[in-house]
Amino acid sequence: MPISGPRTSQTSGPPARNWAGNTVFRARGMQRPGSVEELQHLVGSSSRVRALGSGHSFNRVADTEGDLVRLDGLPPHVDVDEAASTVTVGAGMRYGEVATVLHRSGLALANLASLPHISVAGCCATATHGSGDSEKCLAAAVTAMEVVGPDGELTLLSRRDDPRRFPGAVVALGALGIVTRLTLSVEPAFEVSQHIFTGVPLRQVAERFGEIFGCAYSVSAFTDYGSGEARVWTKRRTTERDGSVRPQGWRGETPADVAHHPIPGIPPTHCTEQLGVPGPWYERLPHFRPDFTPSNGEELQSELLLPREAAPEAIAALRSLGDRLAPVLQIGEIRTVAADDLWLSPAFRRDCVAFHFTWVKDTGAVLPVVAAVEEQLLPLGARPHWGKLTAVEPERIASLYERAADFRELVRERDPGRVFANDFVDRAFALR
């Protein structure tokens, strides 16, 4: 039976858009409940509804023809359980908000994405990640979730109670319900120093890939692929988890003596502190400071994750496309992600290298180049990021995941009336 309760407030005005403005949602309205009870009533009385996080997806993964629900009006809970080494947070909160509270408690998340401004639930639902040979995608930290199901009832899903199917429910693209709270694994707080090395030949990045990306806790290489060079950002923990100090590994020949922005020519005002100055984990692991918004959506993004051993061949393929990339690419970033057990994670059961692209904001000019990149990298085992721009049809994306059929059955079981359906997910998993 539908949950009875107060009506939520509805936003009016022009159609809702994503952060970049390249997607206009088809939703009939935007709702912003102020409590879980209001959200339960909304879901229980809706035929179609979907959650919208911070809007940092660049495709229609969050779209619906029913109501879109923003979760940032829900109470911003951050409940630390030091004995269990977990924190339970409101789904609409952003990582920067959570990190500040955690650090005051002497705790940390293992990793963060480049932007601390993205919502926790949206990030986990699409398998967003940071970087580091030993670090899994951010959703891998989830140990439990509180979810509003299609009838408006609140359910707790946890790895402890359902270890067989829980890995299918974390990266779920919003298809199983609306998440209200997530419980994440945490560890003791730590400090990180950030060093940048310029003028690193891309040939060296490919030939010494393991050495370079293993030299620090988190490593990123920024390049345009046409110049033949990269700038390597290394983020080193001052002490490892066991209290030891990581041996000094690869060091570029040209350490930066001034701060850099990932995109050449842009002032580094909004970037986290560099030049080897140690600081708290949450002020160094992202590329951008949590108290600033680094841009106003004047970009498009795509990303492909491949088996890590494919990195040298993929770099060579992208260098061959340098002339096509140049007119539309602002910057490319290479990172690594450790394997996990989440059914729809691009790093499912394989260590990955991630190739991220920040494009100019011109969909017509960018999409053919995205297609050319994918034509080169898909044969190497690439999987597109669920929330980024892609020329790959949804049906083909799902075929790249060996647990796709299991996920389809999980959706049918938990949402038989398809309250949380949308065109993107339905096409990908043949749910129509």
Side-chain angles (χ1 to χ4, degrees), residues 112-282:
L112 290 170
S114 299
L115 289 173
H117 314 81
I118 52 181
S119 71
V120 177
C123 174
C124 292
T126 54
T128 296
H129 59 88
S131 184
D133 278 2
S134 64
E135 302 311 305
K136 303 174 183 178
C137 75
L138 304 192
V142 179
T143 63
M145 303 186 301
E146 186 181 78
V147 183
V148 177
D151 55 2
E153 294 290 345
L154 204 59
T155 302
L156 180 66
L157 308 177
S158 73
R159 184 177 285 274
R160 181 191 63 192
D161 294 338
D162 192 357
R164 185 177 64 86
R165 296 190 304 172
F166 186 75
V170 182
V171 181
L173 313 179
L176 301 182
I178 296 183
V179 177
T180 57
R181 300 205 302 173
L182 300 100
T183 300
L184 312 173
S185 297
V186 295
E187 61 182 80
F190 54 93
E191 287 200 332
V192 174
S193 62
Q194 188 169 197
H195 305 258
I196 296 176
F197 302 95
T198 63
V200 181
L202 266 179
R203 171 183 48 78
Q204 183 181 142
V205 174
E207 293 175 353
R208 301 173 64 181
F209 188 86
E211 183 183 353
I212 290 174
F213 280 83
C215 78
Y217 184 69
S218 174
V219 177
S220 293
F222 290 97
T223 181
D224 61 7
Y225 294 104
S227 67
E229 291 187 346
R231 283 169 291 117
V232 177
W233 293 35
T234 64
K235 301 170 190 275
R236 304 179 187 274
R237 290 179 63 134
T238 55
T239 57
E240 298 299 306
R241 289 187 174 100
D242 61 2
S244 65
V245 177
R246 180 189 291 260
Q248 189 68 58
W250 176 89
R251 290 182 66 88
E253 295 179 3
T254 313
D257 55 6
V258 295
H260 285 255
H261 189 283
I263 301 175
I266 297 182
T269 309
H270 298 163
C271 295
T272 49
E273 190 159 0
Q274 303 163 23
L275 303 179
V277 179
W281 57 280
Y282 71 100

Side-chain angles (χ1 to χ4, degrees), residues 346-374:
F348 177 68
R349 293 182 178 172
R350 65 181 197 180
D351 293 332
C352 283
V353 53
F355 290 91
H356 185 277
F357 304 87
T358 299
W359 308 100
V360 300
K361 192 176 176 179
D362 184 341
T363 303
V366 166
L367 263 181
V369 183
V370 170
V373 168
E374 291 173 338

